[in-house]
Amino acid sequence: MGGKIVSVGTTKDALRDPWLKKHRRNITEIDCGGGVVLPGFVDSHTHPVFVDPRLVDFEKRIEGASYEQIAAAGGGIRSSLEGVRQAKKSALSAKILTALQDMAAHGTTTVEAKSGYGLTVESELKSLEAIRAAASRWPGTVVSTLLGAHVVPKEFQGRSQKYVEAVCKEMIPQAAKRRLAQFVDVFCDKGAFTVEETEHIFAAAKEHGLSVRAHMGQLSETRLSRFLRFDPASFDHMDHVNDDDILQLAKGNTVATLVPGANYFLGMKDYPNARRLIDARVPVALATDYNPGTSPTVSMPMAMSLACTHMKMSPAEAVAAATVNGAWALRVADHKGSIEPGKDADFAIFDVSDYREIPYWFGANHCAATVLNGVISARN
Ligand SMILES: [Zn+2]
């Protein structure tokens, strides 16, 4: 009803529900007979605002170049800037919409979308506007994030303080005022932003009423406890994390979002230690990290498969991490992430007979249809 779940139960129960009885004539029935229905996936970490794939980086990495070497040679995040800065908003929004549709075809109904390949005030705001334009043409739900602090752009090299100032005094206030973003994200790591800069940006976000999240521990360990006073919704990547910080996270509201697609695509031997987090009772979410440099996949089932095979998560843990924990990571769990009366009608329907087949058949898409806020989108 109005894109919400009215009742949950067996067919017999549903037929007895007074609301359903009354509105029977106006109901579209979907026969998922023999299939698996899950809550729509919540992909809580994506970078969809870019123009071109990064095929040169791809080949260089195959030849043995590291993340830092590729960045130093002019590849990496900085090489996506030119395309985004020059692109028209409508061209960006068309790219984003295509990605959202591809995601839905793989079972995703809620997407967090970050800016972060413009890195000027103008192009970051343009990126957020493009996200908003794409979201308005897609029946699913988009949560947008300002990632002005992705890397320090070339023109500010050696003057990162000046760039942080532009993020805090221009990007954040304007994004907040125009309601273009719910979150502010920072890439806090070597080669990106320092702990002090991250604190500065978080403080500016809070001052303007925006929530915070961060890329943490991808390349090196950063102590997390000093950020907890900003109540971050999630710390993402978490390849490197300290035991004391894990204890702190287990007590708080911050989700650890793992993005094994990046480890896979970078050809890494090591993956985030999901077991250590889960066994310490830290809430763990899974996301695609869809982006042109390190994780060009729209597939949550692929992220789940990697979680099972490389991070020793059970298929059931992978489902929870890809749905309700993703919703917690975006602070939308009151209406997303599970199939319960009153929540949004977001479902993914799979043509398999057991949910464990979803991560099992890796590289194949078994999502037959998706329901996004009550709107049915069938594959093909
Ligand atoms: Zn990312």
Side-chain angles (χ1 to χ4, degrees), residues 2 17 23 34 56 78 98 110 203 222 254 303 359 368:
D17 184 278
H23 294 85
V56 175
R78 290 183 187 91
T98 302
T110 299
T222 301
T254 307

Side-chain angles (χ1 to χ4, degrees), residues 45 47 114 215 237 289:
H45 182 143
H47 304 251
K114 306 176 197 293
H215 288 65
H237 283 280
D289 192 15

Side-chain angles (χ1 to χ4, degrees), residues 30-370:
I30 310 172
D31 185 357
C32 315
V36 168
V37 181
L38 291 184
F41 296 129
V42 178
D43 191 348
S44 59
H45 182 143
T46 85
H47 304 251
V49 193
F50 60 89
V51 179
D52 294 315
R54 290 219 296 264
L55 303 175
V56 175
D57 294 11
F58 184 46
E59 282 194 313
K60 274 196 183 144
R61 196 172 298 113
I62 293 165
E63 289 160 11
S66 71
Y67 187 99
E68 286 93 343
Q69 283 167 338
I70 288 169
I77 294 164
R78 290 183 187 91
S79 66
S80 290
L81 300 186
E82 207 51 38
V84 169
R85 288 178 182 180
Q86 282 171 10
K88 283 214 171 93
K89 187 171 65 187
S90 57
L92 290 177
S93 115
K95 291 267 182 191
I96 300 162
L97 182 59
T98 302
L100 293 173
Q101 287 162 342
D102 285 350
M103 288 170 182
H106 289 77
T108 300
T109 53
T110 299
V111 175
E112 185 260 13
K114 306 176 197 293
S115 66
Y117 293 118
L119 308 187
T120 61
V121 176
E122 191 203 344
S123 60
E124 284 297 301
L125 294 172
K126 177 177 70 179
S127 298
L128 292 173
E129 285 169 353
I131 291 171
R132 180 148 81 185
S136 72
R137 292 161 63 196
W138 188 60
T141 302
V142 176
V143 173
S144 33
T145 297
L146 169 67
L147 178 57
H150 202 180
V151 286
V152 178
K154 205 168 59 206
E155 58 275 21
F156 281 92
Q157 235 153 37
R159 304 185 295 135
S160 65
Q161 219 184 330
K162 280 270 167 235
Y163 184 69
V164 170
E165 217 167 273
V167 172
C168 293
K169 295 199 171 142
E170 296 181 67
M171 288 182 201
I172 290 174
Q174 291 194 42
K177 190 170 162 218
R178 298 175 52 200
R179 298 185 185 280
L180 284 168
Q182 284 103 305
F183 287 98
V184 169
D185 192 342
V186 181
F187 184 11
C188 177
D189 217 317
K190 58 179 184 187
F193 293 88
T194 65
V195 168
E196 291 71 26
E197 289 167 339
T198 304
E199 284 181 310
H200 203 65
I201 294 163
F202 277 4
K206 287 280 156 178
E207 196 188 311
H208 287 90
L210 299 179
S211 302
V212 300
R213 52 198 321 111
H215 288 65
M216 284 284 178
Q218 181 181 10
L219 309 169
S220 61
E221 184 186 302
T222 301
R223 289 306 306 269
L224 304 175
S225 46
R226 58 194 290 181
F227 300 117
L228 295 177
R229 67 194 157 99
F230 297 105
D231 188 29
S234 78
F235 288 139
D236 300 30
H237 283 280
M238 302 286 274
D239 294 76
H240 306 275
V241 58
N242 177 283
D243 277 327
D244 291 335
D245 285 338
I246 289 181
L247 290 176
Q248 292 283 319
L249 289 178
K251 288 188 230 151
N253 273 330
T254 307
V255 174
T257 302
L258 309 182
V259 291
N263 299 69
Y264 163 78
F265 192 73
L266 294 173
M268 289 162 74
K269 179 167 81 3
D270 294 323
Y271 281 70
N273 194 333
R275 284 262 58 90
R276 190 166 148 236
L277 292 161
I278 293 169
D279 294 343
R281 301 188 162 274
V282 176
V284 165
L286 283 170
T288 60
D289 192 15
Y290 173 68
N291 80 78
T294 61
S295 191
T297 180
V298 294
S299 170
M300 286 295 280
M302 183 68 197
M304 291 162 69
S305 187
L306 291 170
C308 294
T309 56
H310 290 258
M311 306 198 304
K312 307 298 172 217
M313 286 170 67
S314 69
E317 286 170 338
V319 169
T323 55
V324 73
N325 286 4
W328 280 108
L330 296 181
R331 303 259 157 102
V332 294
D334 58 332
H335 59 286
K336 298 284 180 192
S338 58
I339 301 176
E340 292 177 69
K343 282 201 173 187
D344 295 342
D346 290 341
F347 312 109
I349 301 159
F350 293 89
D351 58 5
V352 294
S353 51
D354 186 308
Y355 74 92
R356 293 171 296 186
E357 291 181 72
I358 296 164
Y360 173 89
W361 300 111
F362 77 93
N365 185 13
H366 284 280
C367 181
T370 317

